[in-house]
Every structure is written in C-alpha cells, then in structure tokens.
Amino acid sequence: MEELGITELKRLTEVIHQKFGYDFSGYAMSSFKRRITRIMELKKVNSLDQFIQFIETKNLTKEDFLHEITVNVTELFRDPSFWRVLKTVLPKTTLNSPKVKIWHAGCSSGEEVYSMLIVLKELGMIDMVEILASDIDSSILKKAKEGKISLRNMELNEKNYIRYNPTGDVKQYFLYDNDYAYFSKELLSKVTFKEINLVNLQPFAKFDMILCRNVMIYFNQNLQNQILKTYHEMLQMYGYLIVGTKESIIWSDSANKFLTVNTEEKIYKKYKD
Amino acid sequence: MSKKEEILQKHYKAVVIGGSAGSFNVLVNILSKLPEDFPLPIVICCHRLKHVRSGFIEALQIKSKLKISEPDDKLPIKKGEVYVAPANYHLGFEIGNYFSLSTEEMVNNSRPAIDITFDSFSYVYKNKLVGILLTGANKDGAKGMKSVKENGGVTIVQEPSECTIDTMPKAALAITQIDLVLRVDEIIDFLLKLNKPV
C-alpha cells in the first residue's frame, strides 16, 4: 500500500466530514494517518481512491469508522501513582459543593471510570458524587456501560490495582465467570453515559472535576487549545482539570487560569475566571 | 569515497535510535561520548518496563553532557537534546517538528514501538534522517528501518556479532538494504562526524 501523503489525508478528512458529519481536521496527523492506514488494511483497501469509494458506497458505516479511528486501549488504574495522588485530592472537592460532579471526557471502554468508582467507594464518598462518562464512539460507550472485562485483561488490571493499593483486593468489585469479570452494577449505577464529540464541544454543565487523560494527544494544538478553553468554562471555581501524565497545558491560552496541583500527574486547579 | 564518507557529506536533521535487550549500556556509552554542542536532536525509542516511569532518564543522564528528557505531547524538538520515548506510550512526530504521543495498541508486543517512532520521523524528515538500530531480542524496528530507507534516510545497524542479542539488527538486514553495519565505537565515530563535512 502506498504511504498516504498530507494532501491525501486532508482530502480524506473532507470526505469524512461530508459523509459522516464529523470533522477530523483538528486531529494530530501522525496518529490519524496510522489509524486510517490500519482501517484500510483491515478492510483490504489498497488506495485512497478505493477507500473513499468504500465510504461513499456505505461499505463502511459511520459507527464502524468512529469505532476504528478512535484509540480504545486502556487499563484499570493506568498509572497507579496517579491514582494514589488522586485519592488525596478527591476529599478536597467536597469543600466546594455537597454533590461533587465529575466528568470523564473520552472514557473509552470505561476502565478509568471503574477505577474512579473504586477509589470513591474506598474513600466513603460514593454517595456524594455524580459521574458523567462520555465518548465519541457509541459502541465503546455500550461496552463501558456493560462493565464486562475479558479475563485476559484482568491480570494487568489486578497488578495495577495492587500498585495503587497493596493491601486492597480489587476482586471484590467484580463478579467472575469463565471468560469475563463483571464490574459491580451497584457502583456502575452512579454513572451516566453520554455520546459527546469533543471537536464541537459547547458548555452544557458545570463540573468539580474533569478528567481527560490521553484523549487530547490525538488532537492538534489548535483543537487542544479550543477544548481547554471550554473545559475551563465548564469547571466550577477551584475545580480540577486532569490530563494524561505526558500531556501539558502550560502552552495553552487557558494556562494562566489554572494552578498546578501536581506536576508529575498533571492535576490542575481553576483559580481564575 | 567510501559509502560512509559519502553519507557524511550530506546534512541531516535528526538521529533516531532504537534498541531492546542489551541496548541500555550501549546507549549510555554512546550518549557519554557526544559533546554538549551535538548539532542534531537524538530521539531514542527503547523497550522498557511499562509501569516504571522514573529512573530510566536519570540513569542515562549520569554520564552524558546532553540534556535528556521524555517529551510531553506536542513539545517542539530542539537540536542538541536527547528525547526518550516514555514508558507505555508510542512516540510519534508531526509535520511542524513537534512530538506527538499515543496510547494505541502495542506493536510487536511493544509500547513504545520502534517501528512507530522510525516510521513517523521518516515521514517528516525524509532523507534528512539517520536511523540506528541496536541490539535486541525481537523484530521491532525492522519495518521502521525500511521506512527510513524508503524515505531516503540513512540506515545503520549495530554489527550483529557484537550484539547481546542479534535478532533485531538481523531482522532489519533481512528486509532492507542497510547502508552501514557498524560496531558501537564506529557508530560513535560516525555520530561525531555528522553535519561536519570535511
């Protein structure tokens, strides 16, 4: 297969916008190119023209495309040290409001949300929170809602949890059968799942904490900047913004409106309107 | 003129180095021999434990005069600095010369994967890139070296007989006409002569 050039990628984003109504022009091109190449290989399509035809003849549905283009690799308690720090931050959120509103923007298959629920449960805060989890991909949201994790992935999840809490037992939050672990329905009931595309995000509510970890790395700086501005608007004063451990907001227009709570784990706090 | 001299006549914009089993000591050795004013950026993609986030950079830094760091997403690249792919992320590069990270699926059972880093850098730097593949126990990097070559860049592998495990350089040699096969001391000598045509 021929390597896709930058003009071809631009042409493709136009076709996608037209056919599916989703704008990918603000995506980081290196990973976008890899995802497109991956879909083309998967669908055994050899050229861009053939791929465009594939889209136009509806051989590839919008839902399929969104599912394949997004990265859905995640773990329970990814970065255990982050969760140890978060555990000390969460109790402070109750100082701002009696009902703490948390948003997981880009929740993928849900592991980060389950981790949050476990931490909140262990802190005795589970009845003090309202959680929203969103993703652009409706099929992955469905999976997140189910709370079903293949046993193959549970080994890593359990190891991560032990690194977070060496004396705890993560198994108590799951029911097991031969192939899957099922996350506690009771804990899951605290979460509202919603389809949201961050590309055209408009403020729709106020939150005490927004987590958007390893999501904006797939966007270019302009789009990141735009979204960070909206997150700032959607946070209560002294609310927390959390991004991935290798992301930074210091270069953005909103940077001076946040204080750094933890440099390593990329936890910020809104302190200016 | 030898092939090596011919290559050194040209001007380059970056060096990417990949390695796995046995490569840590080689990297320490290479980085300890390069001067503070090394004229290019060096990007390292090395297989490492996914959950160990700290210690790696510090260990590489001890003997080196160059600034070594793990880039945050969207950080612009600078010459004379060394960048290491962070644990559990793929390290890519964007047109506009800045880094981009990703948590995509593992490639060759690895994240970071050398194939992704090499492929991404060669897409941007084309014939201005030098790719070096060191000792290692799997085939990651072979396809990446092919991309470097196909984009007109320079390909170098560590002399297999000198490697702790030679699977990696051999895999690259099997699918690409590699420009130079060098021992570590020769790789260092090559790097010291880069962008200094006589």
Side-chain angles (χ1 to χ4, degrees), chain B residues 24-80:
Chain B
F24 184 75
N25 291 336
V26 177
L27 288 168
V28 170
N29 185 9
I30 292 173
L31 294 177
S32 71
K33 302 286 173 21
L34 302 178
E36 218 168 335
D37 60 348
F38 188 72
L40 298 92
I42 296 175
V43 179
I44 295 172
C45 182
C46 184
H47 296 161
R48 48 191 292 195
L49 292 171
K50 62 177 288 189
H51 60 273
V52 182
R53 267 160 52 189
S54 57
F56 194 79
I57 297 295
E58 291 80 350
L60 284 175
Q61 187 71 74
I62 292 170
K63 289 185 179 172
S64 177
K65 296 186 194 77
L66 294 161
K67 186 187 165 200
I68 307 173
S69 67
E70 288 177 356
D72 273 344
D73 182 55
K74 305 295 182 281
L75 184 83
I77 198 167
K78 279 193 219 153
K79 63 182 180 184

Side-chain angles (χ1 to χ4, degrees), chain B residues 144-162:
Chain B
M145 286 296 260
K146 197 171 174 14
S147 303
V148 174
K149 182 79 184 178
E150 284 172 355
N151 277 294
V154 176
T155 50
I156 299 171
V157 298
Q158 186 180 355
E159 166 63 54
S161 66
E162 195 203 53

Side-chain angles (χ1 to χ4, degrees), chain A residues 232-247:
Chain A
H232 172 266
E233 232 179 297
M234 295 178 70
L235 276 171
Q236 300 283 7
M237 186 59 87
Y238 310 119
Y240 294 88
L241 173 67
I242 300 169
V243 295
T245 52
K246 288 292 159 191
E247 295 174 74

Side-chain angles (χ1 to χ4, degrees), chain A residues 89-90 92-103 128-130 205-211 231 234-242 267-270:
Chain A
V89 172
L90 280 168
K92 294 174 191 158
T93 56
T94 57
L95 300 174
N96 306 337
S97 43
K99 199 78 178 173
V100 180
K101 288 182 76 178
I102 299 172
W103 176 23
M128 303 159 82
V129 294
E130 258 173 44
K206 286 259 185 186
F207 292 92
D208 300 290
M209 181 179 278
I210 298 176
L211 297 97
Y231 285 162
M234 295 178 70
L235 276 171
Q236 300 283 7
M237 186 59 87
Y238 310 119
Y240 294 88
L241 173 67
I242 300 169
I267 303 176
Y268 304 94
K269 187 183 202 168
K270 171 173 168 175

